Amino acid sequence: MPQRGKELALCGILAALAMIFSYIEAVIPIPVPIPGIKLGLANLVIVIALYSLDLKHAMAINVTRILVIGIVITGVFAMLYSLAGGILSLLTMGLLKKTDKFSIVGVSMAGGVMHNVGQLIVAAIMVTDFKMFLYLPVLLAAGLITGILIGIASHILLTSLPKGLFGGDAVK
Amino acid sequence: MIKKADIFLLIFILIIGAVSTLLIYGHTNDGSDVEITVAGELYGVYDLDEDREIVIKQHGHRNKVIIKDGAVSMDFSDCRNQVCVNTGRISRSSQAITCLPNKVMVTVTGGDYDATTR
């Protein structure tokens, strides 16, 4: 199969997988002590995509997932939050990965934190009230923990999946 | 698997978290008033020590705020995620309950809020 076709097919599969994860989380909420916080299983797919493909493809997968899930399940307002969080998070992860100084856990950790920061910024703008930033400490901690968990899961997945799965050379 | 830069990043984020926590919650006390805003505009100010129910109706949305025993909680909201209802009861100055879908925000104000440390 030509390289471009293979990449396209992979993006489609990963986007579908990310949507399924988003759907599962929307339908079966995992009980966490603090309201409004979830694990973000879909981000597992995004981190895998960032490491096995590249930033461009991961971004395409992420934006596709958020748009479809937003229209079908969560609604337009939730979509705006997700979009801001998702894009800011992924740009940060892409940037940190490029420096080559951070492991996948560190990259994912920063991604988790920035995901919540992005959502908070949009929330503050939408409610036009900067008291929203009262939630910053809670959201920082939550992003940190979920980011680390997703990072560890991504590391385990990338090291145990067969090497040729994503077209060979990219997987380390 | 974990690199040195990861640890530095973790510590950096933890420091930001600690500093923001201190700035926000470090010098708050029991509040005296409840301030409700809808879409950023002031809806009303209520006494935290006076038990009452406030129903906020706007743009077809409905929220019910209950003030009881010196604490305020969101008793009902017709929003989907119910984050505001699950926030529970708050009573300390500068704590807040937010209902993002209905753009309703309930903040505890007043009390011995120490303005000199700001």
Side-chain angles (χ1 to χ4, degrees):
Chain A
M1 194 165 22
Q3 189 60 29
R4 200 177 145 64
K6 193 169 180 177
E7 278 174 7
L8 205 62
L10 238 163
C11 279
I13 293 169
L14 288 176
L17 187 62
M19 282 176 218
I20 291 170
F21 278 152
S22 291
Y23 178 72
I24 289 174
E25 271 196 334
V27 177
I28 314 164
I30 301 161
V32 276
I34 308 149
I37 286 163
K38 53 185 180 178
L39 189 52
L41 276 176
N43 290 322
L44 181 61
V45 180
I46 304 305
V47 174
I48 299 273
L50 177 64
Y51 272 80
S52 53
L53 294 161
D54 59 14
L55 179 62
K56 206 172 70 190
H57 288 92
M59 189 61 90
I61 293 168
N62 205 12
V63 171
T64 310
R65 167 188 75 91
I66 294 166
L67 289 182
V68 173
I69 287 293
I71 292 165
V72 177
I73 305 175
T74 54
V76 181
F77 277 117
M79 186 169 88
L80 283 178
Y81 299 128
S82 304
L83 214 51
I87 290 173
L88 188 63
S89 154
L90 191 47
L91 285 179
T92 311
M93 292 199 287
L95 210 71
L96 289 191
K97 180 176 173 271
K98 224 174 189 174
T99 64
D100 230 12
K101 286 195 165 64
F102 300 90
S103 77
I104 190 164
V105 179
V107 168
S108 171
M109 180 176 73
V113 170
M114 292 316 276
H115 197 278
N116 287 350
V117 169
Q119 298 203 353
L120 196 63
I121 292 171
V122 173
I125 295 169
M126 299 260 275
V127 189
T128 52
D129 196 334
F130 287 89
K131 288 209 196 81
M132 280 308 303
F133 283 94
L134 291 177
Y135 286 119
L136 185 67
V138 178
L139 288 178
L140 276 183
L144 202 67
I145 295 164
T146 55
I148 290 173
L149 291 178
I150 294 290
I152 294 170
S154 306
H155 176 79
I156 295 168
L157 266 177
L158 281 178
T159 45
S160 44
L161 285 174
K163 289 235 183 297
L165 197 64
F166 297 110
D169 56 324
V171 185
K172 277 181 203 122
Chain B
M1 169 174 145
I2 307 261
K3 293 186 185 175
K4 214 187 235 172
D6 294 337
I7 307 295
F8 282 126
L9 187 62
L10 177 71
I11 293 168
F12 178 66
I13 296 169
L14 285 178
I15 290 173
I16 292 181
V19 168
S20 57
T21 310
L22 276 179
L23 279 178
I24 293 165
Y25 298 108
H27 44 270
T28 61
N29 277 302
D30 285 342
S32 62
D33 296 297
V34 177
E35 199 180 289
I36 298 177
T37 61
V38 176
E41 304 219 350
L42 190 64
Y43 182 89
V45 181
Y46 308 89
D47 197 336
L48 190 60
D49 295 320
E50 200 180 306
D51 292 1
R52 65 180 294 175
E53 288 180 19
I54 302 134
V55 176
I56 303 145
K57 280 186 189 161
Q58 39 103 18
H59 309 297
H61 291 303
R62 215 164 73 84
N63 289 68
K64 191 163 113 189
V65 176
I66 285 190
I67 303 175
K68 195 168 182 289
D69 302 330
V72 59
S73 60
M74 184 75 78
D75 185 60
F76 170 83
S77 169
D78 60 5
C79 64
R80 276 193 64 160
N81 60 28
Q82 297 292 305
V83 168
C84 52
V85 176
N86 292 328
T87 307
R89 286 153 56 87
I90 59 168
S91 62
R92 311 249 317 156
S93 172
S94 87
Q95 279 186 313
I97 302 172
T98 311
C99 180
L100 280 182
N102 296 1
K103 298 186 180 174
V104 173
M105 196 149 171
V106 180
T107 318
V108 178
T109 56
D112 296 314
Y113 192 73
D114 191 359
T116 53
T117 49
R118 276 273 150 120

